[in-house]
Amino acid sequence: YHYLADAILRREDSAALVHARIYSLLRNRELMARAPSPARPEAEDSRKVWLHNRLELVVSKRYSHSDFSAGELAACLAMSLRTLQRQMMECLNTTPNAFLRDYRLRKARYLLLTGWKVADVTRQCGFRSQTYFCRCFRKMSGVSPGQYRAMQIGTRAAGKAGRVEIGVEDADVI
């Protein structure tokens, strides 16, 4: 019965001693609460996983709306934009806007592989401007969306014909 007890008080202890022990216990607990605790790796990892899963869930439902922004993402997660920015930087080393843009670009890669036109992909993935979409896509993959689509379709056709061509890696399927 002594297991996990902070102190053992006995009936024969004086009132002053009991009072001193209780005061000491409460003071120590208060000091421990103020002190920074070392972060446990598994707790940190679970927080990262939780945040990433919540982000993926919310963004997957709303990424195609061009007016969906980091502020709306924060509202969907029931936190302020600044809190979301801080947590994403701590856990995922990215910003809300970068996360949203990267998610849209991953979806765009997949849609381009399935044969969609660049203009349709731009609208479907929530980009307001085809110019901006092409600039972001080129920065991510090193080629324009049209070139990427042509290279992937050409690589697949060559693979079916028995020839091997070197091209850009296949997109991550979401």
Side-chain angles (χ1 to χ4, degrees):
Y1 71 97
H2 300 294
Y3 187 70
L4 297 176
D6 290 329
I8 298 172
L9 304 175
R10 298 187 176 102
R11 286 186 186 177
E12 57 269 1
D13 290 341
S14 69
L17 180 62
V18 170
H19 179 59
R21 283 187 179 165
I22 291 173
Y23 175 78
S24 176
L25 287 170
L26 292 174
R27 195 174 113 253
N28 286 341
R29 290 234 172 136
E30 184 179 318
L31 290 173
M32 287 188 336
R34 287 187 201 160
S37 61
R40 295 188 329 240
E42 58 273 359
E44 194 67 29
D45 289 342
S46 67
R47 193 171 127 213
K48 288 178 186 178
V49 169
W50 178 85
L51 181 62
H52 189 268
N53 289 343
R54 292 289 300 166
L55 288 167
E56 288 280 336
L57 179 69
V58 171
V59 172
S60 70
K61 293 179 181 177
R62 295 180 170 87
Y63 77 96
S64 61
H65 301 287
S66 62
D67 57 345
F68 183 64
S69 64
E72 289 183 40
L73 177 59
C76 290
L77 295 172
M79 58 179 75
S80 71
L81 178 58
R82 183 64 189 125
T83 300
L84 178 62
Q85 289 169 338
R86 193 171 29 255
Q87 286 189 5
M88 286 185 71
M89 195 51 74
E90 271 180 36
C91 294
L92 306 174
N93 201 26
T94 189
T95 64
N97 285 325
F99 184 87
L100 184 58
R101 183 188 60 242
D102 292 345
Y103 186 90
R104 287 174 168 160
L105 287 170
R106 282 185 292 155
K107 280 300 217 182
R109 287 175 69 181
Y110 176 72
L111 293 176
L112 287 168
L113 287 177
T114 59
W116 285 49
K117 295 178 183 175
V118 175
D120 295 335
V121 171
T122 301
R123 282 190 300 277
Q124 180 62 31
C125 291
F127 287 94
R128 289 187 179 147
S129 160
Q130 189 170 341
T131 306
Y132 178 67
F133 166 67
C134 290
R135 187 177 335 129
C136 292
F137 194 92
R138 184 182 296 273
K139 186 175 181 182
M140 174 198 67
S141 65
V143 294
S144 72
Q147 290 171 332
Y148 178 81
R149 183 172 163 235
M151 287 170 52
Q152 293 304 316
I153 292 172
T155 302
R156 287 183 179 175
K160 288 178 184 176
R163 295 187 315 248
V164 177
E165 292 182 19
I166 298 173
V168 179
E169 297 174 14
D170 284 334
D172 298 330
V173 178
I174 297 171

